[in-house]
Coordinates of all heavy atoms in Angstrom, one line a residue:
Y1 N 106.2 105.9 111.2 CA 105.4 104.7 111.1 C 104.1 105.0 111.8 O 104.0 105.4 112.9 CB 106.1 103.5 111.7 CG 105.2 102.3 111.9 CD1 104.8 101.6 110.8 CD2 104.8 102.0 113.2 CE1 104.0 100.5 111.0 CE2 104.0 100.9 113.3 CZ 103.6 100.2 112.3 OH 102.7 99.1 112.4
L2 N 103.0 104.6 111.0 CA 101.6 104.6 111.6 C 101.1 103.2 111.4 O 101.0 102.8 110.2 CB 100.8 105.7 110.9 CG 101.2 107.1 111.3 CD1 100.3 108.1 110.4 CD2 100.9 107.4 112.8
D3 N 100.6 102.6 112.4 CA 100.1 101.3 112.4 C 98.9 101.1 111.4 O 98.7 100.0 110.9 CB 99.7 100.9 113.8 CG 99.4 99.4 113.9 OD1 100.2 98.6 113.5 OD2 98.3 99.1 114.4
T4 N 98.2 102.2 111.2 CA 97.0 102.1 110.3 C 97.2 102.3 108.9 O 96.3 102.2 108.1 CB 95.9 103.1 110.8 OG1 96.5 104.4 110.8 CG2 95.4 102.7 112.2
R5 N 98.4 102.6 108.5 CA 98.7 102.9 107.1 C 99.4 101.7 106.4 O 100.1 100.9 107.0 CB 99.7 104.1 107.0 CG 99.0 105.4 107.4 CD 99.8 106.6 106.9 NE 99.1 107.8 107.3 CZ 99.6 109.0 107.3 NH1 100.9 109.1 107.0 NH2 98.9 110.0 107.6
T6 N 99.2 101.7 105.1 CA 99.9 100.7 104.2 C 100.8 101.5 103.3 O 100.4 102.5 102.7 CB 98.8 99.9 103.4 OG1 98.0 99.2 104.4 CG2 99.5 99.0 102.5
L7 N 102.0 101.0 103.1 CA 102.9 101.6 102.2 C 103.1 100.7 101.0 O 103.3 99.5 101.1 CB 104.3 101.8 102.8 CG 105.4 102.3 102.0 CD1 105.1 103.7 101.5 CD2 106.7 102.3 102.9
V8 N 103.0 101.2 99.8 CA 103.1 100.4 98.5 C 104.2 101.0 97.7 O 104.3 102.2 97.5 CB 101.8 100.4 97.7 CG1 102.0 99.6 96.4 CG2 100.7 99.8 98.5
V9 N 105.2 100.2 97.4 CA 106.4 100.7 96.6 C 106.4 99.9 95.3 O 106.4 98.7 95.2 CB 107.7 100.3 97.4 CG1 108.9 100.9 96.6 CG2 107.6 100.9 98.8
L10 N 106.4 100.7 94.2 CA 106.2 100.1 92.9 C 107.6 99.9 92.2 O 108.5 100.7 92.4 CB 105.4 101.0 92.0 CG 104.0 101.3 92.4 CD1 103.4 102.4 91.5 CD2 103.2 100.1 92.6
M11 N 107.8 98.7 91.6 CA 108.9 98.4 90.8 C 110.3 98.7 91.5 O 111.2 99.2 90.9 CB 108.9 99.3 89.5 CG 107.6 99.2 88.8 SD 107.4 97.8 87.7 CE 108.3 98.4 86.3
A12 N 110.4 98.2 92.7 CA 111.6 98.5 93.5 C 112.2 97.2 94.2 O 113.0 97.4 95.1 CB 111.3 99.6 94.5
V13 N 111.8 96.1 93.8 CA 112.2 94.9 94.5 C 113.8 94.7 94.5 O 114.4 94.3 95.4 CB 111.6 93.6 93.9 CG1 112.0 92.4 94.6 CG2 110.0 93.7 94.1
K14 N 114.4 95.2 93.4 CA 115.9 95.1 93.4 C 116.5 96.0 94.5 O 117.7 95.7 94.8 CB 116.4 95.5 92.0 CG 116.1 94.5 91.0 CD 116.8 94.9 89.6 CE 116.5 93.8 88.6 NZ 117.2 94.1 87.3
R15 N 115.8 96.9 95.0 CA 116.3 97.8 96.0 C 115.8 97.4 97.4 O 115.8 98.1 98.4 CB 115.9 99.3 95.7 CG 116.6 99.8 94.5 CD 116.3 101.3 94.3 NE 116.2 102.1 95.5 CZ 117.2 102.7 96.2 NH1 118.4 102.5 95.7 NH2 117.0 103.4 97.2
L16 N 115.3 96.2 97.5 CA 114.6 95.7 98.8 C 115.5 95.9 100.0 O 115.0 96.3 101.0 CB 114.1 94.2 98.6 CG 113.3 93.7 99.7 CD1 112.0 94.5 99.9 CD2 113.0 92.3 99.4
P17 N 116.8 95.5 100.0 CA 117.6 95.7 101.2 C 117.7 97.1 101.7 O 117.6 97.4 102.8 CB 119.0 95.1 100.8 CG 118.7 94.2 99.7 CD 117.5 94.8 98.9
A18 N 117.8 98.0 100.7 CA 117.8 99.5 101.0 C 116.4 100.0 101.6 O 116.4 100.7 102.6 CB 118.2 100.3 99.9
I19 N 115.4 99.4 101.0 CA 114.0 99.8 101.5 C 113.8 99.3 102.9 O 113.3 100.0 103.8 CB 113.0 99.2 100.5 CG1 113.0 100.0 99.2 CG2 111.6 99.3 101.1 CD1 112.3 99.4 98.1
V20 N 114.2 98.1 103.2 CA 114.1 97.5 104.5 C 114.9 98.3 105.5 O 114.5 98.7 106.6 CB 114.5 96.0 104.6 CG1 114.7 95.5 106.0 CG2 113.5 95.2 103.9
S21 N 116.1 98.8 105.2 CA 116.9 99.6 106.0 C 116.2 100.9 106.3 O 116.2 101.4 107.5 CB 118.3 99.9 105.4 OG 119.1 98.8 105.3
M22 N 115.6 101.5 105.3 CA 114.8 102.8 105.5 C 113.6 102.6 106.4 O 113.3 103.4 107.3 CB 114.4 103.3 104.2 CG 115.5 104.0 103.4 SD 114.9 104.8 101.9 CE 115.2 103.6 100.7
L23 N 112.9 101.4 106.2 CA 111.8 101.1 107.1 C 112.2 101.0 108.5 O 111.6 101.6 109.4 CB 111.1 99.8 106.7 CG 110.5 99.8 105.3 CD1 110.0 98.3 104.9 CD2 109.3 100.7 105.2
R24 N 113.3 100.3 108.8 CA 113.8 100.2 110.2 C 114.2 101.5 110.8 O 113.9 101.8 111.9 CB 115.0 99.2 110.2 CG 114.5 97.8 110.0 CD 115.6 96.8 110.1 NE 115.1 95.4 110.4 CZ 115.7 94.3 110.0 NH1 116.9 94.4 109.4 NH2 115.1 93.2 110.2
E25 N 114.9 102.4 110.0 CA 115.2 103.7 110.4 C 114.0 104.5 110.8 O 114.1 105.4 111.6 CB 116.0 104.4 109.4 CG 117.5 103.9 109.2 CD 118.2 104.5 108.0 OE1 117.7 105.5 107.4 OE2 119.2 103.9 107.6
A26 N 112.9 104.3 110.1 CA 111.6 105.0 110.4 C 110.8 104.3 111.4 O 109.6 104.6 111.5 CB 110.8 105.1 109.0
A27 N 111.4 103.4 112.1 CA 110.7 102.7 113.3 C 109.6 101.7 112.8 O 108.7 101.5 113.6 CB 110.2 103.7 114.3
Y28 N 109.6 101.2 111.6 CA 108.7 100.1 111.2 C 109.1 98.9 112.0 O 110.3 98.5 112.0 CB 108.8 99.9 109.8 CG 108.0 100.8 108.9 CD1 108.4 102.2 108.8 CD2 106.9 100.4 108.2 CE1 107.6 103.1 108.0 CE2 106.1 101.3 107.4 CZ 106.5 102.7 107.4 OH 105.8 103.5 106.6
P29 N 108.1 98.2 112.7 CA 108.5 97.0 113.4 C 108.9 95.9 112.6 O 108.4 95.6 111.5 CB 107.2 96.7 114.2 CG 106.1 97.5 113.6 CD 106.7 98.5 112.8
D30 N 109.9 95.1 113.1 CA 110.4 93.9 112.3 C 109.2 92.9 112.1 O 109.3 92.1 111.1 CB 111.5 93.2 113.1 CG 112.8 93.9 112.9 OD1 112.9 94.7 112.0 OD2 113.7 93.5 113.6
S31 N 108.2 92.8 112.9 CA 107.1 91.9 112.8 C 106.0 92.3 111.8 O 105.1 91.6 111.5 CB 106.5 91.6 114.1 OG 105.9 92.8 114.6
L32 N 106.2 93.5 111.2 CA 105.2 94.0 110.3 C 105.1 93.2 109.0 O 106.1 92.9 108.4 CB 105.4 95.5 110.0 CG 104.4 96.3 109.2 CD1 103.1 96.4 110.1 CD2 104.9 97.6 108.8
P33 N 103.9 92.8 108.6 CA 103.8 92.0 107.4 C 104.2 92.8 106.1 O 104.0 94.0 106.0 CB 102.3 91.7 107.2 CG 101.7 92.0 108.6 CD 102.6 93.0 109.2
V34 N 104.9 92.1 105.2 CA 105.3 92.6 103.9 C 104.9 91.6 102.9 O 105.1 90.3 103.1 CB 106.8 92.8 103.9 CG1 107.3 93.3 102.5 CG2 107.3 93.8 104.9
A35 N 104.5 92.0 101.7 CA 104.2 91.1 100.6 C 104.8 91.7 99.3 O 104.8 92.9 99.2 CB 102.7 90.9 100.4
I36 N 105.2 90.8 98.5 CA 105.6 91.2 97.1 C 104.7 90.6 96.2 O 104.6 89.3 96.2 CB 107.1 90.9 96.8 CG1 108.0 91.6 97.8 CG2 107.5 91.1 95.4 CD1 109.5 91.2 97.7
V37 N 104.0 91.3 95.4 CA 103.1 90.8 94.4 C 103.7 90.9 93.1 O 104.0 92.0 92.6 CB 101.7 91.5 94.5 CG1 100.7 90.9 93.5 CG2 101.1 91.5 95.9
E38 N 104.0 89.8 92.5 CA 104.6 89.7 91.2 C 103.6 89.5 90.1 O 102.7 88.7 90.3 CB 105.7 88.6 91.1 CG 106.8 88.7 92.1 CD 107.6 87.5 92.2 OE1 107.2 86.4 91.7 OE2 108.8 87.6 92.6
R39 N 103.7 90.2 89.0 CA 102.9 90.1 87.8 C 101.4 90.1 88.2 O 100.6 89.2 87.8 CB 103.3 88.8 87.1 CG 104.7 88.8 86.6 CD 105.2 87.6 85.8 NE 104.3 87.4 84.6 CZ 104.3 88.1 83.5 NH1 105.0 89.2 83.4 NH2 103.4 87.7 82.5
A40 N 101.0 91.1 89.0 CA 99.7 91.3 89.5 C 98.7 91.2 88.4 O 98.8 91.9 87.4 CB 99.5 92.6 90.3
G41 N 97.6 90.4 88.6 CA 96.5 90.3 87.6 C 96.8 89.4 86.5 O 95.9 89.1 85.7
C42 N 98.0 88.8 86.4 CA 98.3 87.8 85.3 C 98.1 86.4 85.8 O 98.0 86.2 87.0 CB 99.8 88.0 84.9 SG 100.2 89.5 84.2
S43 N 98.0 85.5 84.9 CA 97.6 84.1 85.3 C 98.8 83.5 86.1 O 98.6 82.6 86.9 CB 97.4 83.2 84.1 OG 98.6 83.2 83.2
D44 N 100.0 84.0 86.0 CA 101.1 83.5 86.8 C 101.5 84.5 87.9 O 102.6 84.5 88.4 CB 102.3 83.3 85.9 CG 102.8 84.6 85.2 OD1 102.1 85.6 85.1 OD2 104.0 84.6 84.7
Q45 N 100.5 85.2 88.4 CA 100.7 86.1 89.6 C 101.2 85.2 90.7 O 100.8 84.1 91.0 CB 99.4 86.8 90.0 CG 99.6 87.6 91.3 CD 98.3 88.3 91.7 OE1 97.6 88.8 90.8 NE2 97.9 88.2 93.0
R46 N 102.2 85.8 91.5 CA 102.7 85.1 92.7 C 102.9 86.2 93.8 O 103.3 87.3 93.5 CB 104.1 84.5 92.3 CG 104.8 83.8 93.5 CD 106.1 83.1 93.1 NE 107.2 84.0 93.0 CZ 108.4 83.7 93.1 NH1 108.8 82.4 93.2 NH2 109.4 84.6 93.0
T47 N 102.6 85.7 95.0 CA 102.6 86.6 96.1 C 103.6 86.0 97.1 O 103.5 84.8 97.5 CB 101.3 86.8 96.9 OG1 100.4 87.3 95.9 CG2 101.4 87.7 98.0
I48 N 104.6 86.7 97.5 CA 105.6 86.3 98.5 C 105.3 87.1 99.8 O 105.3 88.3 99.7 CB 107.1 86.6 98.0 CG1 107.3 86.0 96.7 CG2 108.1 86.2 99.1 CD1 108.6 86.5 96.0
R49 N 105.1 86.4 100.9 CA 104.8 87.0 102.1 C 105.9 86.8 103.1 O 106.4 85.7 103.2 CB 103.5 86.5 102.7 CG 102.3 86.9 101.8 CD 101.0 86.5 102.5 NE 100.9 87.1 103.8 CZ 100.1 86.6 104.8 NH1 99.4 85.6 104.6 NH2 100.1 87.3 105.9
A50 N 106.1 87.8 103.9 CA 107.1 87.7 105.0 C 106.9 88.9 106.0 O 105.8 89.4 106.0 CB 108.5 87.7 104.4
T51 N 107.9 89.2 106.7 CA 107.9 90.4 107.6 C 109.0 91.3 107.2 O 109.9 90.9 106.4 CB 108.0 90.0 109.1 OG1 109.3 89.3 109.2 CG2 106.9 89.0 109.5
V52 N 109.0 92.4 107.8 CA 110.2 93.4 107.6 C 111.5 92.6 107.9 O 112.5 92.8 107.1 CB 110.0 94.7 108.4 CG1 111.3 95.5 108.4 CG2 108.8 95.5 107.9
A53 N 111.5 91.9 109.0 CA 112.7 91.2 109.4 C 113.1 90.1 108.4 O 114.3 89.8 108.3 CB 112.5 90.6 110.8
S54 N 112.2 89.4 107.7 CA 112.6 88.3 106.9 C 112.4 88.4 105.4 O 112.9 87.5 104.7 CB 111.7 87.1 107.4 OG 110.4 87.3 107.1
I55 N 111.9 89.5 104.9 CA 111.5 89.6 103.5 C 112.8 89.5 102.6 O 112.8 88.8 101.5 CB 110.7 90.8 103.2 CG1 110.2 90.8 101.7 CG2 111.5 92.1 103.4 CD1 109.2 89.7 101.4
V56 N 113.9 90.1 103.0 CA 115.1 90.0 102.2 C 115.6 88.6 102.0 O 115.9 88.2 100.9 CB 116.2 91.0 102.7 CG1 117.5 90.8 102.0 CG2 115.8 92.4 102.6
E57 N 115.6 87.9 103.1 CA 116.0 86.5 103.0 C 115.1 85.6 102.3 O 115.5 84.7 101.5 CB 116.2 85.9 104.5 CG 116.7 84.5 104.5 CD 118.1 84.3 103.9 OE1 118.9 85.2 104.0 OE2 118.3 83.2 103.3
V58 N 113.8 85.8 102.4 CA 112.8 85.0 101.6 C 113.0 85.3 100.1 O 113.0 84.3 99.3 CB 111.4 85.4 102.1 CG1 110.3 84.8 101.1 CG2 111.1 84.9 103.5
V59 N 113.2 86.5 99.7 CA 113.3 86.8 98.3 C 114.6 86.2 97.8 O 114.7 85.7 96.7 CB 113.2 88.3 98.0 CG1 113.6 88.7 96.6 CG2 111.8 88.8 98.3
K60 N 115.7 86.3 98.6 CA 116.9 85.6 98.2 C 116.7 84.1 97.9 O 117.3 83.6 97.0 CB 118.0 85.8 99.3 CG 118.7 87.2 99.2 CD 119.7 87.2 100.3 CE 120.3 88.6 100.5 NZ 121.2 88.7 101.6
R61 N 115.9 83.5 98.8 CA 115.7 82.1 98.7 C 114.9 81.7 97.5 O 115.2 80.7 96.8 CB 115.0 81.7 100.0 CG 114.9 80.2 100.3 CD 116.1 79.9 101.2 NE 116.1 78.5 101.6 CZ 115.7 78.1 102.8 NH1 115.2 79.0 103.6 NH2 115.7 76.9 103.1
V62 N 113.8 82.5 97.2 CA 112.9 82.0 96.1 C 113.1 82.8 94.8 O 112.6 82.4 93.8 CB 111.4 82.2 96.5 CG1 111.1 81.4 97.8 CG2 111.0 83.7 96.7
G63 N 113.9 83.9 94.8 CA 114.1 84.6 93.6 C 112.9 85.6 93.4 O 111.9 85.6 94.2
H64 N 113.0 86.4 92.3 CA 112.0 87.4 92.1 C 111.7 87.4 90.6 O 112.7 87.4 89.8 CB 112.5 88.8 92.6 CG 111.6 89.9 92.1 ND1 110.2 89.9 92.4 CD2 111.9 91.0 91.3 CE1 109.8 91.0 91.8 NE2 110.7 91.7 91.2
N65 N 110.4 87.5 90.2 CA 110.0 87.5 88.8 C 109.3 88.9 88.5 O 108.2 89.0 88.8 CB 109.1 86.4 88.5 CG 109.7 85.0 88.7 OD1 110.8 84.8 88.3 ND2 109.0 84.2 89.4
P66 N 110.0 89.8 88.0 CA 109.5 91.2 87.8 C 108.3 91.1 86.8 O 108.3 90.2 86.0 CB 110.6 92.0 87.2 CG 111.8 91.2 87.3 CD 111.4 89.8 87.6
P67 N 107.5 92.1 86.8 CA 107.4 93.2 87.6 C 106.8 92.9 89.0 O 106.0 91.9 89.0 CB 106.6 94.3 86.9 CG 105.6 93.4 86.1 CD 106.4 92.2 85.7
G68 N 107.1 93.7 90.0 CA 106.5 93.4 91.3 C 106.3 94.6 92.1 O 106.9 95.7 91.8
L69 N 105.4 94.6 93.0 CA 105.2 95.7 93.9 C 105.3 95.2 95.3 O 105.0 94.0 95.6 CB 103.8 96.4 93.7 CG 102.5 95.6 93.8 CD1 102.0 95.8 95.2 CD2 101.5 96.1 92.7
I70 N 105.8 96.1 96.2 CA 106.0 95.7 97.6 C 104.9 96.4 98.4 O 104.6 97.6 98.3 CB 107.3 96.3 98.1 CG1 108.5 95.8 97.2 CG2 107.6 95.9 99.5 CD1 109.8 96.5 97.4
V71 N 104.2 95.6 99.2 CA 103.1 96.1 100.1 C 103.6 95.9 101.5 O 103.9 94.7 101.9 CB 101.8 95.3 99.8 CG1 100.7 95.9 100.7 CG2 101.4 95.4 98.3
I72 N 103.6 97.0 102.3 CA 104.1 96.9 103.6 C 103.0 97.4 104.6 O 102.5 98.5 104.5 CB 105.3 97.8 103.8 CG1 106.4 97.4 102.8 CG2 105.8 97.8 105.2 CD1 107.3 98.5 102.4
G73 N 102.5 96.6 105.5 CA 101.5 97.0 106.5 C 100.5 95.8 106.7 O 100.6 94.8 106.1
H74 N 99.6 96.1 107.6 CA 98.7 95.0 108.1 C 97.7 94.7 107.0 O 97.1 93.6 107.0 CB 98.0 95.4 109.3 CG 98.9 95.5 110.5 ND1 99.5 94.4 111.1 CD2 99.4 96.6 111.2 CE1 100.3 94.8 112.1 NE2 100.2 96.1 112.1
S75 N 97.5 95.5 106.0 CA 96.6 95.1 104.9 C 97.1 93.9 104.1 O 96.3 93.3 103.4 CB 96.4 96.3 103.9 OG 97.7 96.6 103.3
V76 N 98.4 93.5 104.3 CA 98.9 92.3 103.7 C 98.1 91.1 104.1 O 98.0 90.1 103.4 CB 100.4 92.2 104.0 CG1 100.9 90.8 103.7 CG2 101.2 93.2 103.3
N77 N 97.6 91.2 105.3 CA 96.8 90.0 105.9 C 95.6 89.7 105.0 O 95.1 88.6 105.1 CB 96.5 90.3 107.3 CG 97.7 90.3 108.2 OD1 98.7 89.7 107.9 ND2 97.7 91.1 109.2
V78 N 95.1 90.7 104.3 CA 93.9 90.5 103.5 C 94.3 89.5 102.3 O 93.4 88.8 101.8 CB 93.4 91.8 102.9 CG1 92.3 91.6 101.9 CG2 93.0 92.7 104.1
L79 N 95.5 89.5 102.0 CA 95.9 88.6 100.9 C 95.9 87.1 101.3 O 96.2 86.3 100.4 CB 97.4 89.0 100.5 CG 97.6 90.4 99.9 CD1 99.1 90.6 99.7 CD2 96.8 90.6 98.6
S80 N 95.5 86.8 102.5 CA 95.5 85.4 102.9 C 94.3 84.6 102.5 O 94.0 83.6 103.0 CB 95.6 85.4 104.5 OG 96.8 85.9 104.9
D81 N 93.6 85.1 101.5 CA 92.3 84.4 101.1 C 92.7 83.0 100.6 O 93.6 82.8 99.8 CB 91.8 85.2 99.9 CG 90.4 84.7 99.4 OD1 90.4 83.7 98.8 OD2 89.4 85.3 99.7
A82 N 91.9 82.0 101.0 CA 92.2 80.7 100.7 C 92.2 80.4 99.2 O 92.9 79.5 98.7 CB 91.2 79.8 101.4
A83 N 91.5 81.2 98.4 CA 91.4 81.0 96.9 C 92.7 81.2 96.2 O 92.9 80.6 95.2 CB 90.3 81.9 96.3
I84 N 93.6 82.0 96.9 CA 94.9 82.2 96.2 C 96.0 81.6 97.1 O 97.2 81.8 96.8 CB 95.1 83.7 96.0 CG1 95.0 84.5 97.2 CG2 94.2 84.2 94.9 CD1 95.4 86.0 97.1
Q85 N 95.7 80.9 98.1 CA 96.7 80.4 99.0 C 97.8 79.5 98.3 O 98.9 79.5 98.7 CB 96.1 79.5 100.1 CG 97.0 79.2 101.2 CD 97.4 80.3 102.1 OE1 96.7 81.3 102.2 NE2 98.6 80.3 102.6
D86 N 97.4 78.8 97.3 CA 98.3 77.9 96.6 C 99.5 78.7 95.9 O 100.5 78.1 95.6 CB 97.7 77.0 95.6 CG 97.0 77.8 94.5 OD1 96.5 78.9 94.7 OD2 97.0 77.3 93.3
R87 N 99.4 80.0 95.7 CA 100.4 80.7 95.1 C 101.2 81.5 96.1 O 102.1 82.4 95.7 CB 99.8 81.7 94.1 CG 99.2 81.0 92.9 CD 98.8 81.9 91.9 NE 97.3 81.9 91.8 CZ 96.6 82.7 91.2 NH1 97.1 83.7 90.5 NH2 95.3 82.6 91.2
F88 N 101.1 81.3 97.4 CA 101.9 82.0 98.4 C 103.2 81.3 98.7 O 103.3 80.1 98.7 CB 101.2 82.0 99.8 CG 100.1 83.1 99.9 CD1 99.0 82.8 100.7 CD2 100.3 84.3 99.3 CE1 98.1 83.8 100.9 CE2 99.3 85.3 99.5 CZ 98.2 85.0 100.3
L89 N 104.2 82.1 98.8 CA 105.5 81.7 99.3 C 105.8 82.6 100.5 O 105.7 83.8 100.4 CB 106.6 81.9 98.2 CG 106.4 81.1 97.0 CD1 107.5 81.6 95.9 CD2 106.6 79.6 97.2
D90 N 106.0 82.0 101.6 CA 106.3 82.7 102.8 C 107.4 82.0 103.6 O 107.9 80.9 103.3 CB 105.1 83.0 103.6 CG 104.4 81.8 104.2 OD1 105.0 80.8 104.3 OD2 103.2 82.0 104.6
A91 N 107.8 82.7 104.7 CA 108.9 82.1 105.5 C 108.6 80.7 106.1 O 109.5 79.9 106.1 CB 109.2 83.1 106.7
S92 N 107.3 80.5 106.4 CA 107.0 79.1 107.0 C 107.1 78.1 105.9 O 107.5 77.0 106.2 CB 105.6 79.2 107.6 OG 104.6 79.4 106.7
T93 N 106.6 78.3 104.7 CA 106.7 77.3 103.6 C 108.1 77.1 103.1 O 108.4 76.1 102.5 CB 105.8 77.7 102.5 OG1 106.2 78.9 101.9 CG2 104.3 77.8 102.8
L94 N 109.0 78.0 103.4 CA 110.4 77.9 103.1 C 111.2 77.3 104.2 O 112.5 77.1 104.0 CB 111.0 79.2 102.6 CG 110.3 79.8 101.3 CD1 110.7 81.2 101.1 CD2 110.6 78.9 100.1
G95 N 110.6 77.1 105.3 CA 111.4 76.5 106.5 C 112.2 77.6 107.2 O 113.2 77.3 107.9
L96 N 111.9 78.9 107.0 CA 112.6 79.9 107.6 C 111.9 80.3 108.9 O 110.7 80.3 109.0 CB 112.8 81.2 106.7 CG 113.5 81.0 105.4 CD1 113.4 82.2 104.6 CD2 114.9 80.6 105.7
H97 N 112.6 80.7 109.9 CA 112.0 81.0 111.2 C 111.9 82.5 111.2 O 112.9 83.3 110.9 CB 112.8 80.6 112.3 CG 112.9 79.0 112.4 ND1 111.8 78.2 112.6 CD2 114.0 78.2 112.2 CE1 112.2 77.0 112.6 NE2 113.5 76.9 112.2
S98 N 110.8 83.0 111.7 CA 110.5 84.4 111.8 C 111.3 85.0 113.0 O 111.6 84.3 114.0 CB 109.1 84.7 112.0 OG 108.8 86.1 112.2
A99 N 111.7 86.3 112.9 CA 112.5 87.0 113.9 C 111.5 87.5 115.0 O 111.9 88.2 115.8 CB 113.3 88.1 113.3
E100 N 110.2 87.2 114.8 CA 109.2 87.8 115.7 C 109.4 87.2 117.2 O 109.7 86.2 117.4 CB 107.8 87.5 115.2 CG 107.6 88.1 113.9 CD 106.2 87.7 113.3 OE1 105.2 87.7 114.0 OE2 106.2 87.3 112.1

C-alpha cells in the first residue's frame, strides 16, 4: 500500500468481498476511501462511496447496477463535487456507521 496511489479495478464489483480481503492483506487501511462508479458517463451514472471497511455492506444495502469500476484511494475525494452530489450513495446517507 502506498498512500499516494490510486487503484482502479474494472468490472469486478461481484468480487468485491474478495477484493476487500486482498486490500486488507496488503495493509490498505480500513479508513481508505472507496468509490464504485456505475455506468460512468451515462445519464444514469451513480457513485457509491464508502471506505474499505464499509464498502461491502453499503453495496449489499443499495445493490449494484453494472457495469461499474472500483476506485480505491484518496483520489475518491475528488468525486465530492457538489454538481454530482445528488447521485451519491454513501454510508452516512444510508444510516451506516463508519468503522473509522
Side-chain angles (χ1 to χ4, degrees):
Y1 166 73
L2 290 174
D3 191 51
T4 57
R5 290 196 179 162
T6 297
L7 176 63
V8 177
V9 185
L10 304 174
M11 310 277 279
V13 177
K14 288 185 179 185
R15 294 185 35 85
L16 189 60
I19 291 168
V20 167
S21 292
M22 286 187 262
L23 294 173
R24 287 181 163 154
E25 288 172 15
Y28 279 68
D30 279 348
S31 61
L32 191 67
V34 177
I36 297 175
V37 182
E38 300 174 337
R39 302 184 51 73
C42 296
S43 61
D44 60 343
Q45 175 178 318
R46 180 173 80 158
T47 303
I48 302 168
R49 292 186 58 202
T51 62
V52 169
S54 63
I55 191 65
V56 172
E57 182 62 31
V58 170
V59 171
K60 282 182 188 174
R61 194 93 173 260
V62 301
H64 169 59
N65 300 314
L69 59 96
I70 305 166
V71 182
I72 305 153
H74 294 290
S75 63
V76 166
N77 296 328
V78 174
L79 298 174
S80 296
D81 186 285
I84 58 173
Q85 190 68 33
D86 63 325
R87 292 187 249 168
F88 276 149
L89 296 171
D90 63 19
S92 65
T93 60
L94 296 169
L96 299 175
H97 299 293
S98 176
E100 299 173 47

